[in-house]
Amino acid sequence: MVRRVKSEQPMRQGISTVVPPAPEPSGHRSRLDELILTKRWKFVFAALLACLLPAGIMVLLISRYGVNVPFWDEWNLVDLFEKAHAHRLSFADFFAQNNEHRVVFPKIIFLLLEHFTHWNTRAEMFFSVFLCALTALCLQWVLWRTLRLPSPRLLMLMVIINVLLFSPCQYENWLWGYQLACFLLASCLLAGVAVLCSELPQLVKFLFAGGCAMVATFSGGNGMLLWPLLLLTFLLRTDRSNRKAAIRWSSGWILIATCAAGLYFFHYQKPPWHPPLASSRNLLDYYCYISAFLGSPLGRHEEGASLIWPVSVGSVALALCILIAGTITWRRRDTALLRNAAPWISIGGFALLSSIMACITRIGFGRTQALESRYTTFSLLLILSLIPLGILVEGNLRKERKALSMRGFNLVLVIGVIALFTITLPFSLRMMRRSGAARARGHVGLTFLECFPEKTLLQTTVHPSLEQLTSFARRANSLHLLHPPLLDPAALHRLMMKTKGHMVGACGEFEAVRASGENSYVAAGWALLPYSRRPVDGVVLAYETADGPFAFALGLDRSPRTEVARFYRDEAALPSGWKATFRDQDLVSRTAPLKIEAWAFDIDRLKLCKLSGARWLD
């Protein structure tokens, strides 16, 4: 406010002296700056908490259900580890195809983790959580740069997006360390988008985004999509007055992308077991595959191969994409809208284009192949991008007082996403628990591979070829990379002799053996580990010989025993029942009754505990 005062000297007629307002005290300004800084740090802390809390929950789930056993394609890394131990690694070893992918950078990560953890596959699972946390931080940065929302609303949006990002619907990727390549692709995409949304110099943006695209290209087949998508983000966020500079940068980008694609397809060979490209002649198959691919994260809430819910959710997602894309195209002259929507268009476009690539290359496996859990890491990105895009369109229409219906649209979208996530969460956790249990049984079967190979079990839970698995396992065991190491008959005999007279009956009871068919028998009982009261990992059956016990069968089947859980007053003891099946030809030729004993096995401590009771077999 300006006030007039009288001057001490005579004033000219018609001229007045204006005294400027007194400056604010320095103490008041410092307190204001301190208040702003405090609020900013509170927001940053809350944003970090919104990221770390879902990550911490996933770490706990992996700690509970993750099993330290290589699975499926992961066994191919034994070749890489052997050459690394023999100092014979070359670029060709990293550049070699894995199915249709060239996983150069994931192999580097696997090699480093093997060096520090001796191939503990759970370390790979935790590294996936680390990559997903980086993706979450980049997402929060892009949210902060593109959305002008009040802090509480922005923080709530961050919480929703982070919970979806760490969703257990990705259980196959979370519990399979080899799948960290999927999380690496998402991290590269979000890191590239985040740096393009920053105020860094153009050269730094170009080099960093190009590095992200190069890493993604040689981490997975759909990583090549980052080249056009990041270029789109760059062009939409570039001022129209700098078209000449944009053309120069784009030309260099396209040249590098062409070189990367040419290197990727150098001596490329299509896997012989894959179906031909676009092998279906029914257009409905392609639509169902793509929509099921995109809707699987929020549409699969029951077991089986039903496509009704995933296709429905995916169809709604595609319809929203068309609606929002049409609105943005209609408002394309609004440069602010295009700049803020550009990163989310690229993020959602990555999921959409990935579904199209998978459809073209995998449609020969059938529509239901789109429901694979490993695809959800990509399809979730479309759902995550629709929410910010809806908010941006609402904010743009609000300028002309047309945003009332759009606000209701966004509210319904957020509520629908939360509701579908809540419905699918129990199924995802159940599948995660079941997958962990199957891997645990496969881990025990792998440990006894040299004693009594369980072909069906190993082919479904460890590797599809028992012959190849035996070769891989022996080579990995010679490098001391299996935990625990393989038990051959001699090692198992020594282990049984070592614990033969200790703690007999402390782990449970061998209750019965009965015939279950011609020359087939079933042994049964219950067993718990005495120091943790959890069910044992397996039960070894052995019969007495002159040289001591001789193991001949392995029991891995569990059954509920309510009386045991009631006795110990612990629900964890419920699945303590065990069952082992064996045949007459597994036993030694005999003319007298055979004494059979049972031993509980603890894979973590590599110990056996003899169960009470012995049964005689005529």
Side-chain angles (χ1 to χ4, degrees):
M1 182 176 179
V2 180
R3 56 191 180 91
R4 299 171 183 261
V5 297
K6 293 183 178 181
S7 175
E8 294 181 359
Q9 296 186 3
M11 297 171 51
R12 294 182 182 181
Q13 188 176 3
I15 300 178
S16 62
T17 303
V18 179
V19 179
E24 295 181 2
S26 59
H28 175 73
R29 178 169 297 179
S30 62
R31 286 194 300 270
L32 181 62
D33 293 341
E34 182 179 354
L35 181 62
I36 295 174
L37 187 62
T38 302
K39 289 185 177 180
R40 183 177 300 175
W41 276 110
K42 285 182 178 179
F43 177 79
V44 171
F45 176 77
L48 286 175
L49 189 62
C51 170
L52 295 178
L53 187 59
I57 294 175
M58 185 50 61
V59 167
L60 293 177
L61 289 173
I62 292 176
S63 300
R64 181 170 183 179
Y65 301 124
V67 182
N68 182 20
V69 58
F71 177 71
W72 225 260
D73 294 343
E74 208 163 11
W75 286 102
N76 295 329
L77 294 174
V78 174
D79 296 329
L80 189 72
F81 298 153
E82 275 187 331
K83 292 183 178 181
H85 282 253
H87 306 286
R88 293 187 289 107
L89 277 177
S90 64
F91 176 75
D93 298 314
F94 292 94
F95 193 68
Q97 279 184 236
N98 179 67
N99 293 331
E100 69 270 40
H101 309 288
R102 296 196 187 274
V103 288
V104 177
F105 292 96
K107 284 182 179 179
I108 296 174
I109 296 174
F110 293 136
L111 201 60
L112 292 173
L113 292 176
E114 183 272 333
H115 176 74
F116 290 106
T117 67
H118 301 287
W119 205 21
N120 187 331
T121 58
R122 280 159 56 97
E124 300 168 1
M125 303 174 200
F126 291 127
F127 193 80
S128 296
V129 178
F130 170 73
L131 291 174
C132 194
L134 290 181
T135 304
L137 292 176
C138 292
L139 266 173
Q140 293 183 169
W141 165 259
V142 177
L143 281 170
W144 182 75
R145 291 286 298 178
T146 58
L147 299 184
R148 297 293 181 262
L149 294 176
S151 296
R153 190 178 173 189
L154 184 60
L155 188 61
M156 181 61 65
L157 186 60
M158 289 180 178
V159 170
I160 295 173
I161 286 181
N162 285 325
V163 169
L164 290 173
L165 197 62
F166 287 93
S167 171
C169 71
Q170 311 165 82
Y171 59 87
E172 188 173 354
N173 292 341
W174 290 126
L175 299 181
W176 187 5
Y178 196 74
Q179 291 296 98
L180 65 82
C182 297
F183 297 102
L184 182 60
L185 287 174
S187 297
C188 290
L189 172 65
L190 267 298
V193 166
V195 76
L196 291 175
C197 293
S198 67
E199 301 297 333
L200 293 172
Q202 204 71 9
L203 179 61
V204 177
K205 291 183 181 181
F206 183 87
L207 294 176
F208 189 88
C212 291
M214 189 67 72
V215 172
T217 299
F218 293 97
S219 297
N222 56 337
M224 283 188 287
L225 296 174
L226 265 68
W227 293 105
L229 292 173
L230 293 182
L231 177 61
L232 177 64
T233 303
F234 168 74
L235 293 176
L236 291 179
R237 291 187 62 84
T238 302
D239 294 334
R240 296 177 180 178
S241 58
N242 296 332
R243 288 185 177 180
K244 291 185 178 179
I247 292 174
R248 289 197 302 270
W249 288 112
S250 301
S251 300
W253 184 271
I254 294 173
L255 178 62
I256 297 174
T258 304
C259 295
L263 181 61
Y264 185 94
F265 288 107
F266 181 72
H267 286 174
Y268 178 87
Q269 293 182 352
K270 181 180 176 297
W273 56 88
H274 279 205
L277 298 180
S279 57
S280 177
R281 296 183 180 180
N282 187 354
L283 293 178
L284 185 61
D285 289 341
Y286 295 94
Y287 176 78
C288 289
Y289 190 102
I290 292 173
S291 56
F293 183 105
L294 298 173
S296 179
L298 298 179
R300 196 176 181 193
H301 59 275
E302 60 183 8
E303 298 181 35
S306 175
L307 291 175
I308 297 176
W309 272 100
V311 169
S312 301
V313 175
S315 299
V316 172
L318 287 172
L320 294 177
C321 288
I322 295 173
L323 176 63
I324 293 176
T327 306
I328 293 176
T329 304
W330 175 48
R331 309 283 296 180
R332 62 185 179 275
R333 293 185 179 180
D334 191 327
T335 56
L337 175 63
L338 288 180
R339 283 177 56 85
N340 292 327
W344 302 109
I345 293 173
S346 297
I347 294 170
F350 179 75
L352 185 59
L353 294 177
S354 295
S355 69
I356 296 174
M357 283 186 67
C359 179
I360 293 174
T361 57
R362 304 295 178 91
I363 191 66
F365 291 125
R367 301 177 183 178
T368 57
Q369 206 266 345
L371 299 178
E372 294 288 340
S373 171
R374 59 179 179 270
Y375 295 147
T376 55
T377 301
F378 305 133
S379 52
L380 274 170
L381 296 176
L382 177 65
I383 299 169
L384 298 181
S385 64
L386 288 176
I387 301 175
L389 284 173
I391 294 175
L392 287 171
V393 171
E394 174 198 335
N396 183 265
L397 295 178
R398 189 186 300 156
K399 300 175 183 178
E400 301 178 8
R401 298 180 181 180
K402 298 179 180 179
L404 183 60
S405 60
M406 200 66 194
R407 181 174 298 180
F409 162 81
N410 287 327
L411 182 61
V412 171
L413 176 61
V414 172
I415 294 176
V417 168
I418 295 174
L420 289 174
F421 175 80
T422 305
I423 293 172
T424 58
L425 182 61
F427 169 77
S428 301
L429 293 175
R430 186 166 64 251
M431 293 302 296
M432 199 171 193
R433 181 170 59 252
R434 183 174 299 179
S435 179
R439 300 280 174 84
R441 295 175 73 245
H443 193 196
V444 178
L446 176 67
T447 304
F448 289 97
L449 175 65
E450 301 284 14
C451 297
F452 13 76
E454 299 283 343
K455 183 176 180 179
T456 303
L457 171 67
L458 293 173
Q459 288 183 338
T460 55
T461 60
V462 182
H463 194 276
S465 171
L466 182 60
E467 182 180 355
Q468 293 183 21
L469 174 62
T470 303
S471 174
F472 282 134
R474 288 172 178 171
R475 290 157 57 194
N477 194 58
S478 66
L479 296 174
H480 307 287
L481 297 179
L482 295 184
H483 315 284
L486 298 180
L487 286 175
D488 56 24
L492 179 58
H493 179 75
R494 290 193 299 269
L495 194 61
M496 297 175 75
M497 292 297 293
K498 182 179 178 181
T499 58
K500 184 177 181 181
H502 299 283
M503 300 179 65
V504 176
C507 298
E509 184 179 359
F510 180 14
E511 295 176 332
V513 59
R514 65 180 184 276
S516 62
E518 186 176 358
N519 298 326
S520 181
Y521 305 89
V522 174
W526 67 271
L528 289 173
L529 296 177
Y531 33 81
S532 63
R533 289 186 181 178
R534 68 173 179 84
V536 298
D537 299 300
V539 174
V540 177
L541 296 183
Y543 56 79
E544 281 293 335
T545 66
D547 297 326
F550 180 83
F552 67 91
L554 177 65
L556 297 173
D557 295 332
R558 292 180 181 175
S559 59
R561 296 292 295 265
T562 54
E563 72 280 8
V564 176
R566 192 180 303 115
F567 177 81
Y568 284 102
R569 297 180 180 178
D570 191 349
E571 287 296 324
L574 182 61
S576 56
W578 61 267
K579 182 177 67 174
T581 303
F582 60 95
R583 296 167 299 174
D584 198 47
Q585 52 263 42
D586 296 329
L587 306 172
V588 67
S589 300
R590 62 194 186 280
T591 58
L594 202 62
K595 183 181 179 182
I596 299 178
E597 298 173 324
W599 305 69
F601 178 64
D602 180 8
I603 196 171
D604 294 331
R605 303 192 181 198
L606 197 59
K607 288 185 176 181
L608 290 171
C609 177
K610 189 176 180 181
L611 303 183
S612 63
R615 294 294 175 264
W616 292 87
L617 191 65
D618 292 336

